Amino acid sequence: MITYEMPLLLRLMTRPELVSTLKRTAGIIFDQGGIIRRLDSLGTKDLPYRISSHGAVHRRASQFIIEFVVPPSSIKILKDEFERDIDVVRSRIYKVEELTPVECTLHEEILPPAYRKDVQEMVELAKKKFKPKFKNNTGLSYYPFQK
Amino acid sequence: MSALMPAISKTGNILKSFMNLRASLQVARVRPFTSSIKENSSRYDDLKKESDPDMPLEDIKNPFEKEKIKCILCEHNIRVDYKNVRLLSQFVSRYTGRIYGRHITRLCKAQQERVEKEIWKAQQAGLMGGYTRDLAYANDPQLFNPDQPIRPHRF
Ligand SMILES: [Zn+2]
């Protein structure tokens, strides 16, 4: 199974309401046969932009991040559930990507254009597209007749 | 050559001084591996012992090869993440919220792509603004100077 991460914005509520909403959210994940790995609270913060959901405009929200494991087939159901929940201002589900070490290629990219591999490929491609010009075979470097 | 030197009187001395002057001016032309001596001196010594010192060395790494430059994220081995809005905000204009291009940020292709992807994720999740930069992060130290791009701007 794949690990997913869900940033969850909840509307401003009293503490008991917030707890019940979180429990409900967790229950939806458990119902799909999922496991919650981590539940972080980022606190109640001002939103970077105002978000309207379920007929109300929100400028502040409680932010949570839930990391969970569910079968991929149930992601659609989860998305639908959280979208219809009126306490949820916004939720997204992102896959947790594995750490893959990246080899830095900056030293190749800052070379002058003629030495860059992608530019060389581009030049080759342009050469391929070049159409042969008609040859007059007059032995002259100029066109001898009136144009 | 040093044994021959006393025999040659005045002209020889002038020639010698001229050679010295030339050597000091053009170090590279006289001994192409001078800069590599510090790096692998033991190897150099070995080669010197077994071969004639006046002969050029063979099978030696290019001593003029430049050190490979790494971008700031690869250098410090930083993994950008959409939850780290403060880090992502540094790759965004504080006036317009636009993501700076590769010619300004000086990131490698893979890292720049990753930064853009994570910024998009954070914006979609409502953690980061699209046209603004959080006021708390407005005066963070600059990782690069947007006024000095490595290639000129389109605008
Ligand atoms: Zn890099």
Side-chain angles (χ1 to χ4, degrees):
Chain A
M1 288 207 267
I2 305 161
T3 311
Y4 295 96
E5 214 169 26
M6 177 167 70
L8 186 72
L9 305 186
L10 300 180
R11 71 179 176 88
L12 294 179
M13 289 181 282
T14 56
R15 214 176 169 78
E17 277 182 317
L18 203 65
V19 171
S20 69
T21 308
L22 279 175
K23 276 185 180 170
R24 194 170 66 232
T25 312
I28 294 166
I29 295 168
F30 292 142
D31 286 345
Q32 299 300 321
I35 310 154
I36 292 185
R37 286 182 168 228
R38 190 162 55 86
L39 173 60
D40 285 341
S41 170
L42 305 185
T44 304
K45 285 181 189 170
D46 282 334
L47 291 169
Y49 49 89
R50 60 184 194 278
I51 302 171
S52 60
S53 68
H54 304 289
V57 176
H58 303 272
R59 286 160 197 275
R60 270 177 86 77
S62 310
Q63 302 184 350
F64 294 92
I65 285 173
I66 306 173
E67 199 180 304
F68 56 89
V69 180
V70 286
S73 56
S74 58
I75 287 296
K76 208 178 170 186
I77 301 159
L78 288 181
K79 274 185 178 171
D80 177 54
E81 287 276 359
F82 298 132
E83 207 174 287
R84 287 188 288 109
D85 196 326
I86 55 165
D87 290 334
V88 176
V89 175
R90 184 163 289 201
S91 73
R92 290 284 182 277
I93 296 174
Y94 298 135
K95 209 158 92 177
V96 176
E97 282 161 41
E98 279 172 32
L99 278 159
T100 44
V102 187
E103 190 78 11
C104 196
T105 53
L106 186 69
H107 59 278
E108 289 168 14
E109 290 164 28
I110 58 174
L111 288 171
Y115 295 96
R116 271 184 249 150
K117 214 172 188 183
D118 52 343
V119 173
Q120 284 168 357
E121 277 169 18
M122 234 151 53
V123 170
E124 282 299 309
L125 206 71
K127 271 181 192 167
K128 266 184 204 171
K129 281 181 181 173
F130 176 75
K131 281 179 188 170
K133 226 176 168 184
F134 179 74
K135 281 175 189 167
N136 292 317
N137 289 335
T138 52
L140 299 168
S141 60
Y142 58 92
Y143 187 68
F145 310 110
Q146 215 172 16
K147 266 190 181 174
Chain B
M1 193 169 172
S2 56
L4 286 171
M5 260 323 190
I8 306 157
S9 55
K10 224 175 185 181
T11 47
N13 279 334
I14 291 163
L15 192 73
K16 197 186 172 190
S17 64
F18 174 70
M19 288 288 275
N20 281 339
L21 185 72
R22 210 189 134 182
S24 62
L25 284 173
Q26 297 175 328
V27 179
R29 195 172 286 181
V30 176
R31 263 208 189 279
F33 33 74
T34 39
S35 64
S36 75
I37 290 169
K38 205 187 281 177
E39 195 180 64
N40 37 7
S41 56
S42 61
R43 188 160 169 259
Y44 173 74
D45 289 339
D46 291 346
L47 282 166
K48 209 176 163 187
K49 267 176 215 163
E50 66 193 41
S51 64
D52 186 6
D54 287 342
M55 291 303 285
L57 295 180
E58 284 171 17
D59 184 34
I60 191 161
K61 250 168 67 182
N62 181 8
F64 298 107
E65 204 175 286
K66 282 181 187 168
E67 217 175 289
K68 279 181 182 175
I69 302 168
K70 278 185 170 183
C71 70
I72 193 161
L73 293 178
C74 288
E75 193 187 344
H76 300 285
N77 204 8
I78 298 167
R79 185 177 165 79
V80 283
D81 193 277
Y82 73 97
K83 285 165 284 179
N84 192 352
V85 177
R86 185 157 206 161
L87 175 65
L88 293 178
S89 293
Q90 288 186 304
F91 295 99
V92 150
S93 165
R94 57 176 284 188
Y95 304 107
T96 59
R98 265 185 77 109
I99 305 168
Y100 286 125
R102 213 150 50 83
H103 62 302
I104 297 172
T105 58
R106 269 214 136 185
L107 296 178
C108 61
K109 263 182 187 169
Q111 289 286 8
Q112 176 76 13
E113 202 174 298
R114 190 161 173 79
V115 164
E116 283 172 16
K117 222 170 153 187
E118 296 299 309
I119 287 176
W120 187 83
K121 272 161 87 175
Q123 286 170 348
Q124 290 298 302
L127 305 175
M128 189 180 167
Y131 293 96
T132 52
R133 186 164 164 185
D134 197 322
L135 271 183
Y137 312 146
N139 293 318
D140 279 354
Q142 283 186 324
L143 300 178
F144 42 81
N145 188 358
D147 296 328
Q148 288 180 342
I150 44 174
R151 265 176 287 116
H153 285 286
R154 265 194 308 125
F155 326 108

